[in-house]
Amino acid sequence: LISSIGGSISANSALANANGDIGSGSGGLVSVLASADTSGTSGVMNLGLTSLNSDGLDGIAGIVRINNDNGNAAGGVIQFSQLSASADGLTSTNPAGGVYIRANQSDILVTGNANLFARDSIGIDGVGQGSVVANGSIFATTGTDIIITHSGQPGLVDTVRGTIVSLSANRNLDAQTGSIIRGSNFVDAQATNGFANVDSLYATNTSFVAAATDASIGNATITNGSLNLSAGRVFANTPTWQRAIATIRGAVTVSDALLVNSGGDIVTNGATIAAGNNVIFNAGDDIIIRNSAISSAQNVTSSGQIQFNAGAITPIDALPGEIHSLVIANSALTLSNAAALSAV
């Protein structure tokens, strides 16, 4: 346990291990805590190159917790120059195993890069004004789920922010209602064997949300690139598709193109989509547009088209003789060039 309760801790580097024995060990608990004391004085930490390890080695993965619990937007910050947090092991049967980071009204700041790995889950929780921020990039990889929450969201406070934000979950990736992921370069959110849900995403350059099953996005803004949303993508390099649903449910604005591919349906309901170039939907089954406004503009690099292609992808679990439909109901399409609408 490294804790600062109403005090200040500074170190050029920090190493904390709670590793199990080789062959049979279970990882322990590594905890970093900053909180206010009884008089309300905030705890402050300023650590350099920091490595937090709770590896089970050949045993069961342990737990790494980083908790800024000052509970005051003007309170102390937990700061690292670089951060590596690992809870590894060949098994993830520890029900609480993983890496968990909580910023309660006060920030957790990494001035360089943050690398997070867990054999089990990774949880990132913002509360109120609290954010997890890297001036460099954030790379999070997990053997099961990544869960991102933001309770008491006061408006547009970032939950996770970095130059590049790369999130790779072996199972599900769930950035829940109120959470905001921001990449000053780009965001790459992948769920290789499960679903991906992203409530709000903001980035400068082309960004990606992809899942082996359903993929859903609420709000997104890309200021200098495209957004790619993929559902039912089984293999990444040479995509093979399975039946799944891609959903857009909020406001999506991209300077270039919006590309949505799904092995099953593509659904928008109550969405507002504005693209600087093309809007292209390729579905293995139906495309359903309800209560939505979709617009594409023409610039010097593209044609400003809207293309809806139902049945354009053949998933590996396609049903024989299946009929594919394109449904547009109570919606508006605005474009500068042409529309290509097909159901095959």
Side-chain angles (χ1 to χ4, degrees), residues 38-300:
T38 55
S39 69
T41 302
S42 295
V44 177
M45 284 192 186
N46 189 348
L47 304 177
L49 179 64
T50 301
S51 180
L52 307 174
N53 303 307
S54 183
D55 297 338
L57 302 178
D58 287 341
I60 299 172
I63 304 168
V64 175
R65 294 188 185 277
I66 304 171
N67 187 2
N68 188 340
D69 203 25
N70 277 299
N72 186 337
V77 173
I78 296 179
Q79 180 171 310
F80 308 95
S81 65
Q82 300 276 350
L83 174 63
S84 172
S86 175
D88 198 3
L90 291 182
T91 62
S92 57
T93 55
N94 183 347
V99 175
Y100 303 101
I101 302 176
R102 186 170 188 260
N104 181 7
Q105 295 288 356
S106 301
D107 290 345
I108 295 171
L109 172 65
V110 183
T111 57
N113 294 331
N115 290 279
L116 313 176
F117 179 82
R119 184 62 55 186
D120 208 307
S121 59
I122 291 177
I124 300 175
D125 179 25
V127 180
Q129 296 289 340
S131 301
V132 177
V133 179
N135 292 340
S137 296
I138 296 175
F139 303 95
T141 305
T142 176
T144 59
D145 304 326
I146 296 176
I147 301 173
I148 300 173
T149 62
H150 201 125
S151 56
Q153 172 65 262
L156 291 175
V157 173
D158 298 332
T159 313
V160 180
R161 182 171 76 246
T163 303
I164 296 170
V165 178
S166 175
L167 307 171
S168 179
N170 188 51
R171 194 165 62 189
N172 302 318
L173 191 159
D174 191 8
Q176 298 177 7
T177 300
S179 66
I180 296 175
I181 301 170
R182 188 181 301 271
S184 59
N185 188 342
F186 67 88
V187 173
D188 185 13
Q190 309 277 341
T192 55
N193 289 290
F195 71 81
N197 171 55
V198 175
D199 189 55
S200 294
L201 182 157
Y202 299 91
T204 301
N205 298 314
T206 297
S207 295
F208 306 86
V209 176
T213 60
D214 296 344
S216 175
I217 195 163
N219 303 307
T221 298
I222 310 296
T223 57
N224 190 39
S226 301
L227 177 63
N228 292 266
L229 176 64
S230 299
R233 192 182 73 179
V234 184
F235 300 108
N237 294 330
T238 55
T240 300
W241 302 90
Q242 64 185 3
R243 295 171 65 87
I245 300 174
T247 303
I248 299 175
R249 59 184 189 274
V252 174
T253 302
V254 294
S255 66
D256 200 342
L258 173 63
L259 175 62
V260 182
N261 289 311
S262 173
D265 296 342
I266 297 175
V267 177
T268 73
N269 194 348
T272 302
I273 298 170
N277 283 324
N278 297 335
V279 176
I280 302 174
F281 289 179
N282 296 314
D285 198 358
D286 301 335
I287 297 176
I288 303 170
I289 311 297
R290 297 187 187 278
N291 308 308
S292 299
I294 302 176
S295 64
S296 67
Q298 183 175 9
N299 66 22
V300 295

